[in-house]
Amino acid sequence: IRAIVTPSNATVKKVTWSSSDEAVATIDTNGNIYAVAEGVCKIQAETQDGSNKKAYCWLYVLPKVPSSSVVVSQRDLYLPIGDREQLSVSVLPSNSTDNVKFASDNKTSVTVSKTGVVRARKPGKAEITITTSSGKTATCNVTVLGLNRTTLDLNLYESETIRVEDMTSGVVWESEDSSIATVSGGVVTSRKAGTTRIIATVKGVKLYCTVTV
């Protein structure tokens, strides 16, 4: 917590913190409160300039409520490189006092923040584990999608194969302009001079390769 000393031009703005019951909670010189046990106490800030000005805050330390389970709404995620998504996590019961931690087993491909924001960094797969203070866990499988080529220069009637990294099936291919270049199973064939894009769709995620003939 923070104490505001007025007026703003006061020469001494430091305060002394104290707790009326350190068996319930303590407070350090920086205003950081540490709960010790269930109960009620009064946190006090007193000016250090000799004016004896005081301010109070009533603190209620509630009993711990352990979690019975944790659920993440996204069981499987497919993300293109660079995308982010916030995991939606529910800890039960709803009045649980548990905190949750997030961890990725493949930080090269997928990282996750302390608040559960997943970031796709490199093609590959990772398992995100959500763990409560009571040891309950849930997992989310993340696949990062990316093409081996995002640009392609072809001569007329030339063919070249592009692919979705680490995916051997489940890819739908299409060309935005088949008069310039066609695609079948990842094999791109040029038809006439121009520029178009080849689209690979996996689980609703679209990946693009710009083709110049």
Side-chain angles (χ1 to χ4, degrees):
I1 61 174
R2 185 166 62 95
I4 300 173
V5 177
T6 57
S8 59
N9 63 344
T11 54
V12 180
K13 292 187 176 183
K14 291 185 177 181
V15 298
T16 299
W17 294 101
S18 62
S19 169
S20 64
D21 189 347
E22 294 193 344
V24 174
T26 60
I27 185 167
D28 65 19
T29 56
N30 296 315
N32 298 308
I33 297 173
Y34 303 92
V36 177
E38 181 183 354
V40 181
C41 67
K42 184 168 67 175
I43 301 298
Q44 174 180 287
E46 183 175 357
T47 57
Q48 294 183 4
D49 62 359
S51 63
N52 297 318
K53 300 297 182 182
K54 301 175 183 178
Y56 305 95
C57 169
W58 286 101
L59 177 70
Y60 298 83
V61 179
L62 304 177
K64 287 185 177 180
V65 180
S67 59
S68 58
S69 63
V70 58
V71 179
V72 58
S73 62
Q74 305 100 317
R75 298 301 302 272
D76 295 283
L77 279 179
Y78 294 84
L79 300 173
I81 297 172
D83 258 26
R84 301 181 183 187
E85 180 152 345
Q86 173 71 57
L87 294 179
S88 178
V89 175
S90 299
V91 178
L92 300 175
S94 59
N95 64 335
S96 172
T97 56
D98 276 8
N99 295 317
V100 295
K101 291 184 178 181
F102 301 86
S104 168
D105 68 353
N106 181 5
K107 294 179 181 179
T108 301
S109 292
V110 181
T111 56
V112 61
S113 72
K114 292 180 180 180
T115 57
V117 177
V118 173
R119 183 173 181 180
R121 296 189 174 275
K122 183 180 179 182
K125 296 181 179 182
E127 184 178 76
I128 303 299
T129 301
I130 303 98
T131 306
T132 70
S133 305
S134 300
K136 304 302 181 182
T137 61
T139 58
C140 171
N141 297 307
V142 182
T143 301
V144 180
L145 302 170
L147 292 172
N148 66 320
R149 300 283 299 273
T150 55
T151 60
L152 199 59
D153 294 322
L154 296 177
N155 295 319
L156 200 58
Y157 305 119
E158 186 179 9
S159 295
E160 190 160 337
T161 301
I162 59 176
R163 68 180 187 279
V164 179
E165 300 278 15
D166 299 322
M167 294 292 293
T168 57
S169 62
V171 182
V172 177
W173 297 94
E174 60 181 308
S175 171
E176 286 187 332
D177 189 341
S178 57
S179 70
I180 295 173
T182 59
V183 61
S184 177
V187 179
V188 181
T189 303
S190 60
R191 297 299 182 190
K192 73 174 184 180
T195 300
T196 188
R197 292 193 302 178
I198 300 301
I199 306 170
T201 304
V202 182
K203 299 291 185 178
V205 176
K206 294 183 180 297
L207 308 171
Y208 299 92
C209 175
T210 300
V211 178
T212 302
V213 181

